[in-house]
Amino acid sequence: MSEKKEPGLWEGFKAFLMRGNVVDLAVAVVIGAAFTNIVNSVVKGVINPLVGAFGTKDLDHYSSCLKAPCVMKPDGTVESGIPIMWGSVLSATLSFVITAAVVYFLMVLPMAKYLAKQAARKAAKEGTQEVVELSELEVLKEIRDALVAQRGSGHSEP
């Protein structure tokens, strides 16, 4: 009687890492982190200054005072009062919306179109195969009918 050897801890870990979805996930996380830096740079370097051009300061510095008087130190720490930093929330929201839009329009939408084309090609290929099978079936039926007709005419002669 031979016992099946259970895979060891290291072998199981290697098998887990070598699965395609784990590697794909790792690549997605790394690319996502790099992409986040790009989006944050666009928001901080382009959008915040544009908003600041219409207002009086950078978007991150917009705030309201919940408990007056709100006094902020130059390093951004609160000296007195309770400020609500809604500008930084708006900036983060813009970063999220821009990231989501870019991911959708540059990754999700093209991939969906590609998969739809692949499915249409596969369906067309299967449809052509069905037509070929049907035409072969029709030809075989005609041959059968011709053979039956020949046999029928052969048996009626004395």
Side-chain angles (χ1 to χ4, degrees):
M1 237 197 219
S2 66
E3 293 181 28
K4 284 189 175 182
K5 186 178 178 184
E6 290 291 319
L9 185 63
W10 180 248
E11 286 83 16
F13 183 67
K14 277 181 17 181
F16 170 73
L17 287 181
M18 291 301 125
R19 274 200 253 163
N21 54 358
V22 173
V23 175
D24 292 343
L25 181 61
V27 169
V29 168
V30 170
I31 290 176
F35 185 69
T36 299
N37 288 336
I38 292 170
V39 170
N40 287 339
S41 296
V42 168
V43 169
K44 291 194 182 300
V46 177
I47 294 176
N48 285 354
L50 287 175
V51 171
F54 294 109
T56 57
K57 49 188 163 184
D58 218 11
L59 188 59
D60 283 337
H61 294 43
Y62 281 95
S63 65
S64 298
C65 192
L66 188 61
K67 183 177 178 186
C70 287
V71 178
M72 302 286 284
K73 293 180 183 177
D75 64 352
T77 58
V78 178
E79 192 171 304
S80 67
I82 302 174
I84 297 179
M85 306 300 287
W86 58 268
S88 60
V89 173
L90 184 60
S91 178
T93 303
L94 285 172
S95 293
F96 172 76
V97 169
I98 291 170
T99 303
V102 169
V103 166
Y104 179 75
F105 289 114
L106 294 182
M107 295 176 191
V108 174
L109 196 60
M111 182 58 83
K113 287 182 179 180
Y114 172 75
L115 292 175
K117 284 182 183 178
Q118 292 289 58
R121 284 184 193 146
K122 185 176 180 182
K125 193 174 185 181
E126 288 175 359
T128 304
Q129 184 67 25
E130 288 176 13
V131 168
V132 169
E133 288 174 3
L134 285 176
S135 62
E136 287 177 2
L137 186 59
E138 292 298 321
V139 169
L140 289 173
K141 285 180 181 178
E142 289 176 10
I143 292 171
R144 180 199 64 201
D145 293 343
L147 288 173
V148 167
Q150 281 180 353
R151 282 188 194 161
S153 64
H155 287 296
S156 61
E157 291 180 18

